[in-house]
Amino acid sequence: MISRIFYPQEEKGIELMMDFELTEENRIFRDAIREFARKEIAPLVDQAEETGVFPRQLFRKMGEQGFLCPRYPLELGGGGGDKVTECILVEELNRINSGIGAALMAQAGLATQPLYRYGSDAQKEKFLVPAIKGEKIGSFALTEPNVGSDAASLQTRAVRDGDSYVINGTKMFITNGPICDYVIVAASTNPAKKAEGISLFIVEKGTPGFQVSKKLNKVGNRSAETAELVFEDCRIPAENMIGTSEGRGFNQIADTLLSGRITYGARCTGTAQAAYELTVQYAKERVQFGKPIIQFQNTRFKLAEMATYIDIMRSYTHRVARMYDHGINVRKEASMVKLFTAETLQTILSYSMQIHGGYGYMMEYPIQRHWRDGRLYTVTEGTSEIQRLVIGKELGL
Ligand SMILES: Cc1cc2nc3c(=O)[nH]c(=O)nc-3n(C[C@H](O)[C@H](O)[C@H](O)COP(=O)(O)OP(=O)(O)OC[C@H]3O[C@@H](n4cnc5c(N)ncnc54)[C@H](O)[C@@H]3O)c2cc1C
């Protein structure tokens, strides 16, 4: 149990901070998903990392148990939980494997939230409900080869033609792109209007003109499948636009990314927790100068610092998730969560690698995988620099 590693005092009856902050439902969910991840996901990790092929059966398996999208209502097939529940899910998945966590997290957030919040009844029935159940895999395509942080300048175009839209453009770095049944594509119907000309469109796999042009070879998160997608005169029904009128896409994207930034706190915490656990274990086993290196004060100081950071990462993530659940505007705090947890994780991973010495640099030691995986987190879903910009703006600086 994490808590035993974190808080050996628990045995002496001292209340756990983490448990203290969770509801009974949260705790039950955490224990269930932790057990599921240990039994059903952990045995799949090595092969998925080696082959770069995501174990797709997990979508259905998790969907059947309400684990895939735990935040959505029961009547849609979700878990009936809240944002904190989703954070618990993501932390537990990332403790086991970041790549698998990424694919499932994209389904629970990016690929479903725009449909849940803004989709028509028909779109919900056709795409959202099957996605929540794991019968359809979704992805979300905002980034382009020439447009990353400056999303309002995207170059993909959607032109209305009778009862259709015709989409042209290229999307880059799309999680689940190679395996998706549908993709939510950000495109402009009116480039002169910049952000206010952007809308979101659902494109189904098999639509003529839509192709996965390249599966990308990544440094980390290798078990998540990532692609470049090309849309060439790709004609979709007009009813596949999300929202009641053109030009609403940028707000829908902002709303989706805000929620994702909170989830990212959990993603960083899960990877940090895994790195911490591996490092404690290694430091107990590695003997130098006649004693386990955990007995050197330097090692214990670093581990103490790591444990402190992780507790703050988790508590702050849950606090902001709770605020989100209460409908509070957390635009500033969501960026603070993403910035703080992703940057602090870099320190934690650096300490972990240092304590592992030369063995940490060897592929057979699992710490290197977390180091490679976690390096991504200051970049995706808004870089640290973009988070600083948002925080500064919200502070009125
Ligand atoms: C593995 C992976 C999975 C991904 N999954 C998806 C996905 O599913 N869907 C999707 O749409 N996208 C996805 N992305 C894209 C990701 O969100 C972008 O990489 C990210 O938004 C940054 O864009 P960029 O890479 O083009 O960097 P750029 O925007 O080119 O930034 C390069 C550098 O310049 C800095 N910079 C840029 N603008 C400013 C500024 N105004 N002030 C200060 N510094 C600035 C950045 O912070 C960064 O350090 C994924 C990326 C990766 C690597």
Side-chain angles (χ1 to χ4, degrees):
M1 261 175 70
I2 300 180
S3 53
R4 296 215 182 279
I5 292 171
F6 256 131
Y7 301 95
Q9 305 95 315
E10 183 204 9
E11 280 149 22
K12 294 180 212 150
I14 293 174
E15 186 80 83
L16 293 185
M17 186 62 140
M18 187 174 88
D19 273 1
F20 191 66
E21 289 176 342
L22 298 180
T23 64
E24 184 62 17
E25 284 86 1
N26 293 156
R27 273 196 291 270
I28 291 168
F29 180 80
R30 182 197 61 200
D31 294 346
I33 186 65
R34 186 173 294 171
E35 185 61 5
F36 178 89
R38 192 179 63 78
K39 271 200 187 144
E40 306 283 345
I41 302 181
L44 308 173
V45 168
D46 286 348
Q47 192 182 354
E49 284 287 314
E50 236 163 74
T51 58
V53 175
F54 183 86
R56 285 188 213 192
Q57 69 274 22
L58 282 179
F59 280 98
R60 271 180 193 267
K61 228 179 211 177
M62 291 183 67
E64 278 161 14
Q65 305 198 27
F67 284 156
L68 186 56
C69 296
R71 172 162 63 105
Y72 300 130
L74 293 169
E75 56 272 23
L76 295 177
D82 50 16
K83 188 70 197 168
V84 176
T85 316
E86 191 187 14
C87 288
I88 292 168
L89 167 82
V90 167
E91 180 181 335
E92 294 300 326
L93 294 176
N94 275 274
R95 266 184 75 198
I96 299 289
N97 182 250
S98 171
I100 289 179
L104 297 168
M105 175 179 152
Q107 182 90 352
L110 297 178
T112 48
Q113 174 147 338
L115 293 167
Y116 176 61
R117 298 272 277 220
Y118 309 103
S120 65
D121 287 347
Q123 288 168 350
K124 284 184 178 150
E125 196 184 326
K126 188 167 177 192
F127 300 103
L128 178 64
V129 172
I132 291 173
K133 291 181 177 169
E135 293 160 2
K136 279 190 176 163
I137 300 173
S139 62
F140 176 83
L142 172 64
T143 308
E144 301 180 351
N146 298 322
V147 179
S149 302
D150 183 14
S153 300
L154 59 77
Q155 296 169 339
T156 300
R157 299 285 173 257
V159 177
R160 180 88 192 220
D161 181 24
D163 287 342
S164 314
Y165 279 98
V166 179
I167 300 184
N168 278 286
T170 302
K171 295 291 178 179
M172 185 54 99
F173 305 141
I174 307 307
T175 304
N176 291 341
I179 57 172
C180 69
D181 296 297
Y182 72 88
V183 50
I184 297 177
V185 182
S188 179
T189 54
N190 189 342
K193 284 190 169 174
K194 291 271 282 187
E196 284 165 17
I198 294 172
S199 298
L200 293 177
F201 299 90
I202 309 162
V203 180
E204 284 186 80
K205 180 182 176 178
T207 308
F210 166 37
Q211 58 158 320
V212 178
S213 44
K214 208 190 292 169
K215 181 170 162 173
L216 302 168
N217 189 12
K218 307 191 296 301
V219 167
N221 289 275
R222 293 184 63 81
S223 44
E225 298 190 43
T226 313
E228 179 190 77
L229 307 178
V230 169
F231 303 87
E232 230 171 353
D233 293 331
C234 177
R235 186 176 288 274
I236 58 162
E239 71 244 24
N240 279 19
M241 187 183 76
I242 299 176
T244 47
S245 59
E246 289 180 2
R248 307 254 174 128
F250 207 73
N251 287 339
Q252 296 166 357
I253 293 165
D255 175 59
T256 305
L257 292 181
L258 183 148
S259 170
R261 284 166 188 170
I262 303 170
T263 322
Y264 241 88
R267 179 156 159 81
C268 296
T269 308
T271 297
Q273 178 72 45
Y276 172 82
E277 288 172 11
L278 285 172
T279 308
V280 169
Q281 191 188 328
Y282 182 81
K284 282 181 178 167
E285 288 165 6
R286 178 67 174 169
V287 174
Q288 287 295 285
F289 297 94
K291 51 184 171 183
I293 61 169
I294 201 163
Q295 288 182 22
F296 297 126
Q297 191 184 49
N298 172 67
T299 311
R300 288 207 306 275
F301 273 16
K302 279 207 164 65
L303 289 167
E305 217 179 298
M306 286 159 73
T308 307
Y309 291 151
I310 294 168
D311 204 19
I312 297 168
M313 288 161 76
R314 181 179 293 117
S315 310
Y316 189 53
T317 301
H318 286 179
R319 175 179 160 211
V320 177
R322 201 71 79 201
M323 288 165 77
Y324 181 85
D325 282 331
H326 279 82
I328 297 168
N329 175 0
V330 289
R331 195 176 309 176
K332 177 181 76 208
E333 290 80 3
S335 281
M336 286 176 164
V337 169
K338 171 77 169 50
L339 174 65
F340 179 78
T341 58
E343 291 294 336
T344 307
L345 175 65
Q346 306 312 311
T347 305
I348 290 171
L349 292 171
S350 170
Y351 285 0
S352 294
M353 287 295 282
Q354 193 65 21
I355 292 171
H356 273 77
Y359 289 102
Y361 208 63
M362 298 298 118
M363 292 304 273
E364 71 210 72
Y365 279 74
I367 193 64
Q368 50 75 27
R369 200 183 70 220
H370 297 293
W371 182 56
R372 287 186 287 110
D373 291 342
R375 184 60 195 86
L376 177 72
Y377 304 170
T378 61
V379 172
T380 36
E381 293 200 36
T383 65
S384 288
E385 291 71 30
I386 295 304
Q387 308 310 334
R388 290 185 181 101
L389 282 178
V390 173
I391 295 163
K393 192 171 164 207
E394 290 299 312
L395 287 170
L397 302 177

